[in-house]
């Protein structure tokens, strides 16, 4: 074909401009053919061969994009954490207000209170204190409670904007409970205010450390537990091993719970700290609630 001249080369390549995804690049390559037609048929064929290869790669890429879009379109809805909201809703949330949610705010607040109650009442704190050699104080109770609250926050953040709103109220319930417990214990109001300030700082630092640990390997999670739960006073590695195993299995257990049930009821259950087969995660039973979500 190189002996037929430049004209038939241009005719043969003209169809590529109609199918290429980047016609500007193809035009530049085609114009270079005119500039290099005096250099001989070898260079001319090499340029046109590159044009054909580029078009073939583009066509194959378009096929993969099409298959991907078709695969995504098979999903009827996006992931809850990636739900789309309008511009007005984004403006409201940027101003500090709450946009429209999947369920009423009253139901979500009731479910958040129940979830926090499960963190407090369904946890065996005496077992934690004895096995981990922690002092029986308000601060030790708070460290164990915030660990369970954090695991609930990790689970509810997967439920989109409604779950994130529920997370805010879970944290609100926690601080209200801590303040009331401090008053019942007879702690001075000035000292209690200072303790709450310190707890708030430690809480958000612990959230950051736990998030990094759950996304990383067991070494990072053990370091986060050593800093936050044990206050850097743990000398027995078996205690860290026990807590790392406990956190992993609890997070897996919470992931098995239905998001709709958690948003409507807030009922969660916890695996025991020590059990015979820690790797076996039983499918939890779905809670029963009425039409009003109670």
């Amino acid at each position: 074909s190189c002996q037929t001249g430049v004209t038939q080369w241009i005719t043969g390549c003209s169809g590529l401009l109609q199918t290429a995804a980047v016609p500007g690049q193809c035009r530049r390559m085609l114009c270079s053919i005119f500039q290099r037609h005096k250099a001989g048929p070898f260079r001319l064929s090499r340029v046109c061969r590159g044009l054909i290869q580029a078009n073939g790669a583009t066509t194959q890429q378009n096929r993969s994009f099409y298959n991907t879009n078709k695969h995504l379109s098979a999903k009827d809805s996006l992931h809850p954490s990636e739900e789309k909201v309008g511009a007005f809703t984004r403006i409201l949330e940027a101003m500090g207000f709450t946009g429209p949610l999947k369920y009423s705010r009253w139901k979500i607040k009731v479910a958040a209170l129940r979830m926090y109650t499960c963190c407090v009442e369904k946890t065996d704190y005496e077992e934690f204190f004895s096995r981990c050699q922690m002092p029986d104080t308000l601060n030790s109770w708070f460290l164990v409670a915030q660990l369970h609250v954090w695991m609930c926050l990790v689970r509810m953040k997967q439920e989109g904007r409604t779950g994130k709103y529920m997370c805010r109220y879970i944290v609100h319930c926690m601080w209200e409970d801590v303040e009331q417990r401090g008053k019942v214990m007879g702690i001075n109001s000035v000292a209690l205010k200072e303790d709450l300030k310190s707890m708030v700082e430690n809480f958000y630092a612990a959230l950051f450390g736990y998030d990094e640990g759950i996304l990383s390997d067991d070494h990072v999670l053990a370091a986060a537990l050593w800093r936050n739960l044990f206050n850097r006073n743990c000398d027995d590695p078996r205690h860290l091993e026990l807590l790392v195993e406990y956190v992993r299995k609890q997070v897996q257990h919470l992931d098995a719970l239905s998001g709709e049930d958690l948003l409507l009821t807030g009922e969660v259950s916890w695996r025991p700290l020590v059990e015979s087969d820690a790797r076996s995660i039983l499918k939890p039973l779905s809670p029963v609630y009425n039409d009003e979500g109670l």
Side-chain angles (χ1 to χ4, degrees):
S1 303
C2 297
Q3 299 176 358
T4 58
V6 180
T7 305
Q8 292 192 10
W9 277 103
I10 302 304
T11 305
C13 295
S14 60
L16 299 177
L17 294 176
Q18 301 176 2
T19 59
V22 282
Q25 181 180 359
C26 293
R27 289 193 186 96
R28 290 192 296 269
M29 296 179 66
L30 195 58
C31 291
S32 65
I33 296 177
F34 287 102
Q35 299 174 2
R36 301 176 185 178
H37 71 278
K38 296 181 181 181
F42 178 75
R43 291 188 59 186
L44 187 61
S45 61
R46 184 175 59 184
V47 172
C48 293
R49 184 166 59 249
L51 179 62
I52 295 173
Q53 293 176 356
N55 178 68
T58 304
T59 305
Q60 184 178 3
Q61 187 178 12
N62 288 339
R63 287 199 191 100
S64 64
F65 287 161
Y66 173 76
N67 294 334
T68 304
N69 292 335
K70 183 178 180 181
H71 179 68
L72 290 177
S73 63
K75 300 178 181 179
D76 296 333
S77 60
L78 295 173
H79 193 274
S81 61
E82 300 175 356
E83 57 182 323
K84 295 183 179 180
V85 295
F88 181 72
T89 301
R90 290 196 297 268
I91 293 174
L92 283 179
E93 293 180 346
M95 296 174 61
F97 299 98
T98 303
L101 301 175
K102 188 175 183 179
Y103 302 107
S104 66
R105 296 180 179 85
W106 180 79
K107 291 182 180 180
I108 298 173
K109 289 182 178 181
V110 172
L113 180 58
R114 285 182 174 177
M115 184 170 291
Y116 174 73
T117 304
C118 292
C119 295
V120 175
E121 295 184 352
K122 293 186 178 182
T123 304
D124 192 351
Y125 290 92
E126 294 183 0
E127 185 179 12
F128 271 89
F129 296 160
S130 62
R131 290 189 177 274
C132 300
Q133 297 180 0
M134 302 174 63
D136 190 0
T137 60
L138 177 63
N139 185 58
S140 298
W141 170 88
F142 173 73
L143 294 177
V144 177
Q146 79 171 0
L147 178 64
H148 292 78
V149 168
W150 163 75
M151 289 188 285
C152 291
L153 298 182
V154 171
R155 178 61 183 90
M156 296 315 301
K157 286 180 180 178
Q158 302 177 24
E159 300 303 321
R161 296 172 52 255
T162 307
K164 292 179 180 179
Y165 178 79
M166 186 172 175
C167 290
R168 291 165 47 188
Y169 204 76
I170 292 174
V171 176
H172 173 76
C173 294
M174 181 185 69
W175 294 125
E176 290 288 336
D177 185 30
V178 171
E179 185 176 2
Q180 292 297 325
R181 288 175 183 268
K183 292 180 180 179
V184 171
M185 295 177 64
I187 301 177
N188 185 15
S189 59
V190 178
L192 180 60
K193 184 177 180 180
E194 294 296 328
D195 292 341
L196 286 175
K197 182 179 179 181
S198 177
M199 287 180 179
V200 170
E201 296 176 355
N202 294 332
F203 173 71
Y204 288 104
L207 292 185
F208 181 80
Y210 290 151
D211 287 342
E212 183 184 12
I214 200 65
L215 295 174
S216 305
D217 55 8
D218 291 344
H219 298 83
V220 181
L221 181 58
L225 291 169
W226 178 74
R227 291 192 309 267
N228 299 289
L229 184 66
F230 292 98
N231 282 327
R232 310 183 183 217
N233 292 326
C234 179
D235 298 329
D236 193 345
R238 292 176 297 180
H239 297 162
L240 286 174
E241 182 184 5
L242 178 64
L243 265 298
V244 168
E245 185 182 29
Y246 178 77
V247 171
R248 294 291 186 189
K249 70 181 180 183
Q250 292 294 0
V251 171
Q252 185 179 358
H253 177 71
L254 292 177
D255 287 340
L257 296 173
S258 173
E260 299 293 331
D261 295 334
L262 291 177
L263 290 174
L264 289 174
T265 64
E267 292 287 340
V268 296
S269 58
W270 304 101
R271 304 293 299 270
L273 181 60
V274 179
E275 54 187 341
S276 58
D277 188 6
R279 294 180 178 272
S280 64
I281 302 298
L282 302 177
K283 186 176 181 180
L285 299 176
S286 300
V288 180
Y289 52 89
N290 56 21
D291 296 336
E292 296 181 354
L294 301 176

